[in-house]
Amino acid sequence: MGSRVMAAVEKEPMNPELQRLRDSIDNIDAALIHILAERFKCTKTVGVLKAELGLPAADPAREAQQIARLRTLAGDAKLDPDFAEKFLDFIVEEVIRHHEAINASARAPQR
Amino acid sequence: MGSRVMAAVEKEPMNPELQRLRDSIDNIDAALIHILAERFKCTKTVGVLKAELGLPAADPAREAQQIARLRTLAGDAKLDPDFAEKFLDFIVEEVIRHHEAINASARAPQR
């Protein structure tokens, strides 16, 4: 009987417009995940290259350019530019974490 | 003379592979910003609909489904599932902020 109750809960009528929007959000999220995977492939290669070239993980001048560009793109796309900047901060924080890990593993054999 | 110094700084030779990767990252970021703009268009409509239907802004059951799905998609795309979950948290936090603002403005005329 418990499973029949669960089935009833799962089949609770969903507003069709809400369902349609959630389906779109799910499609968009799948796109975001795959694009983010590609972005981290790029930044991991950048991390290896920077370690080889002896460049620091963080690059404030590059980040300032990226922030300014993304704020403009966000404004054109009617996305809050402050959110776009927070979003880039969030991604760059993860990238720097990856780069520091690459640097740490590059240094390890010299010990 | 100051502008000549600036020009010299700007033309500092950039490793061509690093430049190529940064160009790809810039293209990917433009795609992310535009896809995020579409996502927030969907969630803003969801927010209005939820307010009309008297549904709460947060929906823990829906969020649990989204987290599980995105973790699987991330794994398939070789993206850290923990990062994918943090990413969704980051986006949902912004969405809930929007929904609460919609609810607040919907309640305002009743005062």
Side-chain angles (χ1 to χ4, degrees):
Chain A
M1 206 175 88
S3 63
R4 284 178 61 192
V5 171
M6 278 302 292
V9 169
E10 280 163 14
K11 284 181 183 166
E12 197 175 304
M14 161 81 78
N15 177 287
E17 178 67 1
L18 185 56
Q19 186 61 57
R20 195 189 65 78
L21 288 161
R22 285 184 167 179
D23 289 346
S24 289
I25 291 166
D26 286 347
N27 286 342
I28 289 171
D29 283 348
L32 286 170
I33 289 295
H34 287 90
I35 294 179
L36 281 169
E38 276 305 301
R39 194 188 196 282
F40 284 113
K41 277 172 69 176
C42 288
T43 53
K44 277 178 186 169
T45 311
V46 166
V48 171
L49 194 57
K50 280 184 169 180
E52 284 172 4
L53 298 171
L55 295 171
D59 184 340
R62 158 77 174 157
E63 282 160 39
Q65 285 171 351
Q66 286 175 293
I67 289 168
R69 179 173 173 271
L70 289 198
R71 289 188 69 95
T72 303
L73 284 172
D76 291 346
K78 299 179 187 167
L79 180 71
D80 177 3
D82 290 342
F83 174 78
E85 182 167 346
K86 272 199 294 180
F87 173 72
L88 186 67
D89 282 347
F90 175 80
I91 301 291
V92 167
E93 199 177 292
E94 182 76 6
V95 169
I96 290 175
R97 210 175 59 76
H98 291 175
H99 286 190
E100 285 170 351
I102 290 165
N103 275 327
S105 63
R107 278 195 304 272
Q110 299 172 4
R111 280 185 189 172
Chain B
M1 207 173 86
S3 65
R4 284 178 62 193
V5 170
M6 278 303 292
V9 169
E10 281 164 14
K11 284 182 183 164
E12 197 175 302
M14 161 82 77
N15 177 286
E17 178 67 0
L18 186 56
Q19 185 61 57
R20 194 188 66 78
L21 288 161
R22 286 184 164 181
D23 289 346
S24 289
I25 291 165
D26 286 346
N27 286 341
I28 288 170
D29 283 348
L32 287 170
I33 288 295
H34 287 89
I35 294 177
L36 281 168
E38 276 305 302
R39 194 188 195 283
F40 285 113
K41 276 171 71 175
C42 289
T43 53
K44 278 178 185 170
T45 310
V46 167
V48 172
L49 194 57
K50 281 184 168 180
E52 285 172 2
L53 299 171
L55 296 171
D59 184 340
R62 158 79 174 154
E63 283 160 38
Q65 286 171 351
Q66 286 175 293
I67 289 168
R69 178 173 174 270
L70 288 198
R71 290 188 68 95
T72 303
L73 284 172
D76 291 346
K78 298 179 187 169
L79 181 72
D80 177 4
D82 289 343
F83 174 77
E85 183 168 347
K86 270 197 296 179
F87 173 73
L88 186 67
D89 282 347
F90 175 79
I91 302 291
V92 167
E93 199 178 293
E94 181 75 6
V95 169
I96 290 175
R97 210 174 60 77
H98 292 175
H99 287 191
E100 286 171 349
I102 290 165
N103 276 328
S105 63
R107 277 194 305 272
Q110 299 172 5
R111 282 186 189 173

